[in-house]
Amino acid sequence: MTATPDLLSPVRFRCGAVARNRVCLAPLTNLQSEDDGALSDDERRWLERRAEGGFGLVETCAAHVSADGKGFDGQLGIWSDHHLPGLRALAGGLARAGALGVVQLYHGGVRSPSRLTGRQPWSASAFHEDRPGFEPPRAATEADIAAVIEAFVAAAVRAQAAGFQGVELHAAHGYLLSQFLSRTINVRGDGWGGDFAGRARLLRTIAGRVRAATPAPFVLGVRISPEDFGFARGLDLDESLALAGWLADDGIDYLHLSLWEAARNTAKRPEEHAVPLFRRALPDDVRIVVAGNLWTRAEADAQLARGADLVALGRAAILNPDWPTQVADPGFLPERGPLTPDELRARAIGEKFVVYLRRFKNMVRDA
């Protein structure tokens, strides 16, 4: 049996890049970018502060790869060279602080509303959901698919040119790449749908193209939802396990499992946890990143003991910017909130992010 790695030990990816430890800042929506997708000073500072706090791998929020893929107000863009000055500044700041900087690449698909893009959203297929505010998407054309492949590849090349050390393809949470994987959303009858090989074709094509376009030691990761949760639906655990092996063949360096509650076993196999299942499905040199309500050293170590290589922190990283440094102390108890706006600002949380965090329980309290 392989010994469980130490959480604070370095980890090498198959492309040759090395992260100084196994603690990642998860990709977190924060609404702090400019309307045109340019990086703001607040967003740069929020990310650089976590790098300064010791996180080994720091991910940006989901950055939209084309203008029609925007899903949120204040969302980072990476679809134009006019985004490069901010991206270069951020990549340099992360590197100087010793972190491995990664841009998460994204297209919202049906979750890119017309109020942001000025056009009807599109997805794998046309469909309708009976919920407030839903905009029925049109089905993707061959031209849409060809354009979005090129957009992801161009965004990855732009990230490398800006000085980042990797990208992650966001194929989780019911966004475009997840929509193509879905057996309920993707009901296409052509080569981009049908059986799971067809539904996985878009993600695999993008992964292979990005790998070919970004020479080592540039890290390529993919984030998936292994099973249905929230907007991620039509996903099957066994299909996700097959996908993991295919993506390894396509050249990825890591697979990021978005589990929401990392302590829980899978829904399809309640007696089994996702991490050992995916560990068996992947070659030893493809790393597994796990995210899902992790707060303490013990919780992180439990995921490494199951076979994960890295853990990604979300809320814990917002409230504890020095978590990787502090966790070396056996007596460290992470701050769990809620915190006042001033306390959040002291943690490099900008005003727009503070307002956004009010949507979530136990994050913000009035002074």
Side-chain angles (χ1 to χ4, degrees), residues 243-283:
L243 176 65
W246 294 344
L247 290 170
D249 293 340
D250 298 327
I252 68 168
D253 294 287
Y254 72 82
L255 186 69
H256 188 165
L257 303 178
S258 183
L259 301 182
W260 295 102
E261 290 289 342
R264 294 181 183 173
N265 287 349
T266 65
K268 186 173 186 179
R269 302 184 196 174
E271 73 285 357
E272 295 187 84
H273 193 274
V275 170
L277 292 172
F278 280 91
R279 184 68 278 163
R280 293 195 292 271
L282 288 165

Side-chain angles (χ1 to χ4, degrees), residues 229-254:
F229 189 92
F231 287 102
R233 58 185 181 82
L235 306 176
D236 176 76
L237 177 63
D238 290 304
E239 288 184 342
S240 296
L241 290 166
L243 176 65
W246 294 344
L247 290 170
D249 293 340
D250 298 327
I252 68 168
D253 294 287
Y254 72 82

Side-chain angles (χ1 to χ4, degrees), residues 30-106:
N30 59 84
L31 311 186
Q32 293 185 111
S33 284
E34 307 297 347
D35 288 343
D36 64 356
L39 185 85
S40 69
D41 288 342
D42 280 349
E43 187 161 11
R44 178 181 55 78
R45 183 59 190 148
W46 131 254
L47 293 166
E48 288 180 355
R49 176 67 182 84
R50 274 68 199 165
E52 293 161 2
F55 283 82
L57 187 152
V58 171
E59 286 197 59
T60 70
C61 68
H64 54 299
V65 300
S66 59
D68 70 347
K70 185 176 182 178
F72 305 100
D73 293 291
Q75 187 173 28
L76 182 64
I78 191 169
W79 47 267
S80 168
D81 285 349
H82 86 265
H83 297 132
L84 277 172
L87 293 169
R88 287 194 182 106
L90 174 59
L94 298 179
R96 285 190 296 274
L100 194 150
V102 171
V103 182
Q104 189 185 58
L105 304 181
Y106 150 107

Side-chain angles (χ1 to χ4, degrees), residues 186-204:
N186 185 349
V187 295
R188 301 177 69 92
D190 61 7
W192 302 101
D195 63 9
F196 189 57
R199 286 183 275 125
R201 181 182 171 195
L202 178 59
L203 173 57
R204 294 195 64 195

